[in-house]
Amino acid sequence: MLLLQKEFLEPWIPETSMIFLEELHKEISEKHVLYGADLEVIARREDKDEVLYQYKTNPQKYVQVHLTWKRDKETDSRWPKTREFNSFDNWVNEVMLIDNKEYEE
């Protein structure tokens, strides 16, 4: 695992299961921004279909993906939806802290 142990706040939990990487590869088409990217599963949101991946070739970068669980290629290259982050701290501040606040309300 590329990422050193990080703490996650609810509803995010650490994740390393290959099922989330396998599903991503099933869903992305050749025109998708993540096609061919070498990624590793880092975390997932336990109440939604959001998964956080880390780039193996550029470990400071992360991408959050909303999996569709179609179990097949998406025909629209905008799916699965993705959002890239230049650092783990950016993701924490832009996503995890907000999700945690909303989750606890």
Side-chain angles (χ1 to χ4, degrees), residues 4-101:
L4 298 177
Q5 186 62 37
K6 299 281 187 187
E7 289 189 33
F8 294 95
L9 302 174
E10 289 184 323
W12 287 91
I13 59 173
E15 184 62 68
T16 59
S17 174
M18 291 300 291
I19 192 169
F20 298 99
L21 192 57
E22 291 166 1
E23 181 59 26
L24 177 66
H25 286 267
K26 288 178 188 174
E27 293 181 18
I28 56 176
S29 68
E30 290 181 11
K31 294 182 180 180
H32 192 276
V33 66
L34 294 178
Y35 185 79
D38 196 7
L39 302 169
E40 184 167 7
V41 181
I42 300 300
R44 69 177 171 89
R45 193 172 157 152
E46 61 185 337
D47 64 336
K48 296 192 176 177
D49 295 324
E50 301 292 330
V51 180
L52 181 66
Y53 300 87
Q54 181 180 23
Y55 285 88
K56 287 183 177 181
T57 56
N58 195 354
Q60 68 270 15
K61 287 188 70 176
Y62 296 81
V63 62
Q64 181 178 319
V65 178
H66 178 89
L67 295 175
T68 63
W69 293 99
K70 183 178 178 180
R71 296 186 183 358
D72 199 1
K73 296 271 185 261
E74 290 291 341
T75 55
D76 185 336
S77 64
R78 294 175 292 179
W79 288 94
K81 284 194 173 189
T82 64
R83 185 173 170 197
E84 290 189 322
F85 300 89
N86 289 322
S87 71
F88 184 76
D89 288 340
N90 284 114
W91 176 81
V92 167
N93 292 320
E94 295 177 32
V95 176
M96 186 172 69
L97 292 176
I98 295 166
D99 287 353
N100 178 255
K101 184 178 179 185

